[in-house]
């Protein structure tokens, strides 16, 4: 391949490239969220989904199935134990998929920076598209991050799923360093028999 | 000078104040009742609805069995690490539904061989608390069949991370890498 593939459409359906702007616009307007509230950010979710900050007007919907989701919210600190589940859930989401990381903990450990069981830099293990700083970010800040990811989806900058695909060896190496070799076989197979 | 004329408390009075008499309240009567049955323990009333006992480690199970007649609920088992004294302090938090009184039973065990009998046969809920104390501090509860890895990852379980001599920063550096300048110990101020 001489030309670098630019979007999901070009991997699968070259001839539909004409409609790519339309598909991007549609994706931006119909984000479904995996309801996987990790850490303290779960507290910010109810006001975000309910009447006051109602994010359904953006076409977003909390959906408990990773197989039918686009957006993955990492809300707060991540422990190695949770990170295993996060990685497996992330890999179950079909492409294209996007990640918003809430708060300072996924960026650099936050207040738990010297704790023995909080992952210091989430971006080493899975690709993050938008990181919202703060501890915790208010729903307004989360909505600002949502608008940012909508902008990035439409302009094609939200390419975390592509980075994960292209640099999979690097991500896999970091994951194996943290969990030990063969963690998928050891742990994930107990939760998901088909892995 | 007025300042110098303050009456000084004599030594005899201090000694008398230390031997605190149990007050004639519900709490005082509870303590007296238990101490009568268990003369090896020390008991005191901290304040309203709070009482405290200190028990030697050999007698702790007998004492808890006596106490369980009045104190129906075991709220928690916690461990305090006294590193300089080379001892663990195990604290049993008990709650009496009938009397509305909270009791704290403290006992000290040596740090190099921390062993205690399990209290699962008195309060079955103790199983979970003992597993947790075992995981974070390495206290061995003899008779608890499920001691072992519980909440932590296997790597952390071996280290007993809540012990005071657990090198937290060294462990963080080892596991999560050293590519953050905030781990630089020569810096005086860390940015969190």
């Amino acid at each position: 391949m001489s030309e670098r593939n630019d979007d999901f459409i070009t991997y699968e359906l070259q001839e539909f490239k004409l409609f790519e702007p339309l598909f991007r616009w549609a994706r931006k307007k119909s984000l479904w969220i995996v309801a996987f509230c990790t850490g303290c950010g779960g507290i910010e979710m109810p006001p975000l989904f309910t009447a006051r900050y109602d994010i359904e007007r953006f076409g977003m919907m909390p959906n408990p199935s990773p197989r039918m989701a686009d957006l993955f919210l990492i809300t707060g600190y991540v422990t190695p134990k949770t990170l295993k589940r996060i990685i497996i859930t992330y890999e179950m989401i079909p492409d294209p998929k996007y990640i918003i990381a809430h708060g300072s903990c996924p960026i650099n450990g936050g207040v738990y920076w010297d704790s023995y069981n909080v992952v210091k830099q989430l971006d080493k293990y899975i690709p993050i598209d938008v990181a919202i700083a703060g501890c915790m970010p208010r729903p307004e800040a989360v909505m600002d991050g949502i608008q940012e990811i909508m902008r990035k989806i439409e302009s094609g900058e939200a390419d975390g799923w592509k980075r994960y695909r292209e640099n999979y060896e690097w991500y896999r190496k970091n994951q194996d360093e943290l969990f030990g070799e063969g963690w998928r076989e050891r742990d994930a197979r107990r939760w998901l028999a088909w892995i | 000078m007025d300042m110098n004329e303050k009456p000084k408390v004599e030594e005899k009075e201090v000694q008398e104040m230390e031997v605190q008499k149990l007050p004639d309240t519900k709490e005082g009567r509870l303590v007296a009742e238990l101490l009568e049955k268990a003369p090896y323990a020390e008991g005191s009333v901290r304040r309203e609805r709070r009482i405290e006992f200190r028990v030697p480690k050999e007698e702790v199970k007998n004492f808890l069995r006596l106490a369980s007649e009045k104190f129906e609920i075991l709220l928690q088992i916690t461990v305090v690490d006294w590193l300089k004294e080379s001892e663990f302090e195990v604290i049993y938090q008990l709650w009496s539904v009938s009397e509305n009184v909270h009791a704290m039973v403290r006992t000290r065990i040596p740090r190099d061989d921390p062993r205690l009998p399990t209290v699962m046969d008195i309060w079955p809920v103790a199983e979970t608390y003992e597993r947790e104390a075992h995981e974070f501090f390495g206290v061995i509860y003899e008779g608890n069949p499920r001691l072992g890895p519980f909440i932590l990852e296997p790597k952390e379980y071996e280290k007993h991370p809540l012990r005071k001599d657990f090198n937290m920063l060294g462990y963080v550096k080892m596991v999560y890498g050293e590519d953050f300048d905030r781990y630089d110990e020569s810096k005086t101020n860390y940015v969190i």
Side-chain angles (χ1 to χ4, degrees):
Chain A
M1 296 279 284
S2 59
E3 208 174 290
R4 191 168 169 272
N5 290 326
D6 283 321
D7 206 347
F8 173 69
I9 293 301
T10 53
Y11 279 110
E12 310 287 336
L13 306 161
Q14 289 282 350
E15 62 267 32
F16 278 111
K17 202 166 181 179
L18 181 64
F19 298 107
E20 209 181 285
L22 172 67
F23 290 155
R24 282 179 182 174
W25 176 84
R27 260 181 230 137
K28 150 191 150 175
K29 289 286 185 187
S30 63
L31 289 169
W32 286 18
I33 299 168
V34 201
F36 186 104
C37 286
T38 54
C40 357
I43 297 296
E44 303 290 338
M45 290 296 108
L48 199 64
F49 290 134
T50 49
R52 185 164 179 188
Y53 295 100
D54 185 21
I55 60 163
E56 257 190 54
R57 61 202 155 104
F58 293 121
M60 304 175 84
M61 195 176 89
N63 179 36
S65 160
R67 297 280 188 209
M68 289 172 239
D70 305 297
L71 187 59
F72 196 6
L73 303 180
I74 312 286
T75 54
Y77 66 86
V78 178
T79 65
K81 216 169 183 175
T82 328
L83 186 56
K84 285 180 189 169
R85 277 81 173 166
I86 286 177
I87 289 167
I88 297 299
T89 313
Y90 180 70
E91 288 176 1
M92 286 208 296
I93 303 175
D95 288 344
K97 47 197 171 186
Y98 314 104
I99 295 188
I100 295 183
H102 295 213
S104 40
C105 295
I107 300 170
N108 57 10
V111 291
Y112 305 111
W113 66 274
D114 61 348
S115 169
Y116 60 91
N117 64 349
V118 172
V119 171
K120 307 304 164 209
Q121 193 183 357
L122 187 58
D123 214 11
K124 270 169 72 175
Y125 308 102
I126 46 171
I128 291 174
D129 293 307
V130 172
I132 308 164
C135 179
M136 273 310 290
R138 293 265 309 140
E140 291 97 329
V142 178
M143 282 171 68
D144 189 53
I146 284 165
Q147 283 185 337
E148 176 71 8
I149 202 158
M150 284 179 164
R151 188 188 65 72
K152 282 192 168 184
I153 289 169
E154 194 158 26
S155 67
E157 289 169 53
D159 57 348
W161 57 278
K162 220 187 294 174
R163 276 185 280 137
Y164 194 68
R165 200 180 260 202
E166 284 163 5
N167 308 314
Y168 186 66
E169 285 78 23
W170 186 77
Y171 285 111
R172 184 66 190 263
K173 179 178 71 68
N174 288 339
Q175 292 165 9
D176 283 351
E177 271 175 17
L178 182 57
F179 304 133
E181 293 276 337
W183 63 274
R184 280 162 204 266
E185 288 73 22
R186 255 198 335 268
D187 299 325
R189 190 164 284 165
R190 275 189 291 149
W191 322 318
L192 307 165
W194 60 86
I195 284 184
Chain B
M1 296 285 283
D2 290 331
M3 300 289 284
N4 293 334
E5 287 168 11
K6 271 187 177 178
K8 287 180 181 175
V9 183
E10 287 181 17
E11 284 183 14
K12 282 180 185 176
E13 284 180 16
V14 172
Q15 282 174 357
E16 280 171 13
M17 278 167 67
E18 278 176 359
V19 183
Q20 194 190 28
K21 281 185 179 174
L22 293 170
D24 188 23
T25 55
K26 172 176 72 177
E27 295 82 13
R29 264 176 267 127
L30 261 176
V31 174
E33 217 174 281
L34 258 173
L35 290 188
E36 201 178 312
K37 291 182 201 161
Y40 43 80
E42 296 168 33
S44 61
V45 178
R46 293 192 116 198
R47 60 179 172 85
E48 194 190 350
R49 299 202 288 159
R50 293 284 185 282
I51 59 179
E52 186 182 1
F53 295 99
R54 287 166 195 277
V55 190
K57 66 175 195 299
E58 296 81 13
E59 303 286 350
V60 67
K61 188 154 185 182
N62 295 335
F63 182 84
L64 288 171
R65 186 167 279 126
L66 285 175
S68 67
E69 291 164 12
K70 285 277 173 168
F71 295 87
E72 295 92 346
I73 294 179
L74 174 68
L75 292 177
Q76 200 174 28
I77 299 175
T78 54
V79 183
V80 183
D81 189 355
W82 297 101
L83 188 61
K84 282 179 189 166
E85 295 153 44
S86 187
E87 277 180 336
F88 284 134
E89 186 166 35
V90 182
I91 303 169
Y92 296 81
Q93 318 261 7
L94 313 178
W95 175 255
S96 168
V97 181
S98 48
E99 306 276 347
N100 279 354
V101 172
H102 180 280
M104 200 156 72
V105 181
R106 297 156 169 259
T107 181
R108 293 241 180 175
I109 51 176
R111 213 163 167 282
D112 47 348
D113 183 29
R115 279 173 191 279
L116 273 178
T118 179
V119 291
M120 269 175 69
D121 44 347
I122 307 173
W123 298 280
V125 72
E127 181 190 306
T128 310
Y129 304 135
E130 285 173 358
R131 288 174 81 186
E132 202 178 320
H134 170 72
E135 188 165 50
F136 286 106
F137 290 93
V139 182
I140 294 166
Y141 290 93
E142 286 158 342
N144 189 328
R146 293 183 71 195
L147 288 187
F150 176 30
I151 302 168
L152 299 178
E153 299 271 294
K155 239 192 296 185
E156 298 155 358
Y157 168 74
E158 294 159 12
K159 307 259 179 182
H160 304 306
L162 291 194
R163 283 189 179 193
K164 284 273 191 286
D165 56 355
F166 173 68
N167 183 358
M168 189 83 82
L169 272 181
Y171 182 80
V172 168
K173 273 185 188 174
M174 188 188 80
V175 172
Y176 300 102
E178 302 194 15
D179 47 348
F180 302 104
D181 59 349
R182 61 167 38 170
Y183 297 126
D184 186 1
E185 278 157 6
S186 59
K187 277 172 94 173
T188 48
N189 292 318
Y190 290 108
V191 182
I192 294 179

